[in-house]
Amino acid sequence: MWYILGFLALLESVRAGLVPRVPRDTHLQYPVCRPSSVRCTEKNHFQNENVYKVNGHELIIDFLDGSYFKLRCDSDSKYSSMLLDDHEMPAFSWPMTVEVAVFNQCLIPQDTYYAALKAVNVTVTKTLRLRLPADSKLEVHHLRGLQITSLEISAVHSFKPPRPSFDFLDEVPRLRILKLTDIVLEPKAFNRLPISLEILNIINARLLAAEHVLQNDKNNTRHWLERLNSLQSLLLSASSVIVADYPGEIFTLPQLSSLTNLVSMSLHYMNLESEKLTYWLKNSTLKYLTLQSCVLTTLPKSMFTGAHLSKITLAYNQITSLPLGLFTPLRDSLQELDLSHNKLNQATVANSVKQLGRLVTLKANDNPLGSLCGDASIVKAPLNSGLPSSLHRLELRNTGATRICSDWISNDALMDIDLSNNNITEITYSDLEMIRTVRGTVRINLKKNNLRKIYVSRSDHQQCQAKSPIPDDPSVITRVQVELDLDKLPCDCNAYWLREVLRSCSLLKLKDDVECLPYPIPLHTKLLQYLIDEISCPYTDECLPECSCKNRPRDNATVMFCPGALPRDPHWPLATKDFPLALHVAPGTLAAVPNITLVELHAPNNNITELADEDIPDTLRVLDVRNNSISRISLDAAKVLAQIENVSVYLSGNPLACECNDASAFSHLNFVGGGDWNLTQCVDMSLASGKTERDLCPSPLPIVFGVVFPLLLIAVAGLTVYLLVPRVKQFMFRHDLCANWILRECNDSNDPEKTDDAFLSYSYVDLNLLKELKNGLEKLGYSTIEHQTDWQPGDAVLEQIAWSVLKARRTLLLVTDNFVESEWTPVEFRIAHRHALKTRTKRVLIVHCGLQKPKKLPLDLQIYLENHTYLEWDDPKFWHKLRRFMPPPRQESVQSRPEDIDSPSPLMQQNFPLFEKSPQKPQLVAALLSTNTVPSAC
């Protein structure tokens, strides 16, 4: 019972606010609204950020245990900023200690900042940062009780700056760091600054006006700064607006002899008198001096006498000249010099710094210097800048520079060069060959220079790739990596070798991929996105009118594209070993490999019949002759191809015979690495690659062991039947047996698109025989085409042949011994045969006329004769069989005379003794020709 009453009493105490509530999650440390608070609401809790609503104001508290506590008050114009000592403020459930406390846009508390922090259970040990609302009034009691060493105060609105009381720092006498920004101090406050200060920053504090009051006060016997003898770093800065409000006020320089600990001094927008700088720095302890925007036009020669400065900034003044020897007293101490945004010329800067042997950083941005080593447009201009060899960083932005000076290439310490916003339009590869003993990367900024060319040659690329390894000995001078910072560049011919060097050589790289200019029209937006042959150069020599030419930088090849027909004897562009030709031709335009210096030949689907070794130069790298008419590859041609390194040969689709005498050539082609030789098939559809002499020239001895013997018998029987079928058909066709079965594969289509019945192919020597054949066909009602009467003079022969084959339903070849000697008859056969294969119709008919030398025929015609039926001129039933093989005539207006056709002429008997007169009667022949029961042939 007592336990229950005790627990109820504890709950009531928690509700009344006598005992603090424990946070919902003890792992998360953040303030919580007080138990008695009715106007405090917790909205969101993030990792280190907590949002509250207090009295209608939004508060954000950032907290990191042991590090910082930051309170951001509501800046909404419809509310006034939150009072820090509001009793509705959330608080931590247990004491928290932080190094830094920050109050952003919060109203100054009515009590002290110490009490305001205690109310939220926070103690600050080091730094207090205040960002005060407009017109805030900071009094002396507000900082009472704080044990801080650093105070930073800034204003939210500079046009309504806070104005603290003159004694507001009296309660924090142990301050070592004081930073005031946009805070207007009373003049008396400057003389009450804590003497313990080590770092003092006063920015936009109406200092010039206060200086005027202090100078007129006769009680001030010394400068207000001179009493701060613990001061180590000083920053006094006004603004251009404040300087304009007090144009006649001159800042009084303190005597540095009393500031024995002062190391760094920066004066911004403080009007100074040059004469007052004479011997001002003598025997001072200053190491870093900044006189920026102080309306200086010149400096006294003795300004740095007795000084030991290591860094000087004189930027944003109006200095036009510097006395000779101004920096000589600092030649052993000065390491960084900033002369930016003045009116100095080239000679002044070079002469001023040439004796500074320890200078590491030189900044001369926005001065009318031009190029420190002479204008690039003047051939005899000097190439050395004369700058100290100790420089590590050099900034010359917006100085009118036009070149990279040659002494920078070998300046051993120089690793960072900023030449952005200048007039550099062209640079060479030698400008980027930086040589150092110091290992590292030289960075060159060339942005906004209207850069148009970076000259990099093939030899530069080769030299960069063949670089020797960087020696381990740091004293050995060697070439180091260069990183370029570019914005835009034309991605044209001039950029090709630059791209290759950037891709393959580690000595040159880009900070970011350079953007391509819109001219010439780019294929890609960035330079390194281009592939190896996507950048080409204009071709300036004469090209064929039917073709287009361009130059390929990779191998200096002339790339020639011929999309249409070529002239009979093309005048190819001049090609040499150093400037070869890469030829691309359209299908059906090339009958032989051009005998020129080729690096590439792309000629698929053409009429090339052979590859001669004299047509294969050692410069050849790509040979694409797929789907041509190559049946044999000579041994010499195969040897030449095998000896060329990195050559790619494409031969698929050619009717390779793959016979025994091809074995030696195939053995060499097997060593050709690139191309499609592994996919190339023989005329029998077997793969040509890998075939050895044993495959192409099988042994005559049969394999008689095991199960191979019966399988071999079956194969031999099948092959015999397969090979004898053409012979059987020829025998039966010759004796007019089962003609319907032999001709069953013929297509009985009337070919409505064909205009003539027969195209006659013959040798001009056999013209008399042709006349008899033509007369006989015409008497049977067939229309014919032959070149003597039907071809147009002046037209291309190949086109006439193709036209004749396409117009005729059949092609009749009058094959004699003279047929072989003709130049065009083999071509007529091939075209007709291809057309027959394409249409799947037997359209080729061979008339065998006393042929005594069949081995002289082309190989493909020999194979055709061995595997197809044909007509013999001396066959007594020649005209009967011809009529059955031919389709019905389109117009049978002419009455056939079989008695004339069936009787051989004296000319035939004289030329072909084997021809004998038919024993059959003419009436029988006429009956056979006129019968309607004869099956029509295709």
Side-chain angles (χ1 to χ4, degrees), residues 23 110 164 166 177 196-197 212 215 289 385 448 498 501 578 607 626 688 772 802 914-915:
Q110 295 176 357
F166 71 94
I177 300 174
S196 60
L197 286 178
H212 181 75
Q215 290 174 7
L289 175 63
S385 63
K448 297 182 180 180
L498 171 64
V501 168
D578 294 329
N607 305 314
R626 291 169 294 173
E772 292 194 30
L914 297 178
F915 183 87

Side-chain angles (χ1 to χ4, degrees), residues 21 230 246 310 326 406 419 461 529 585 790 850:
R21 288 182 295 176
S230 298
Y246 305 95
S310 61
L326 173 67
S406 60
L419 291 168
H461 177 242
Q529 294 175 350
V585 297
D790 300 300

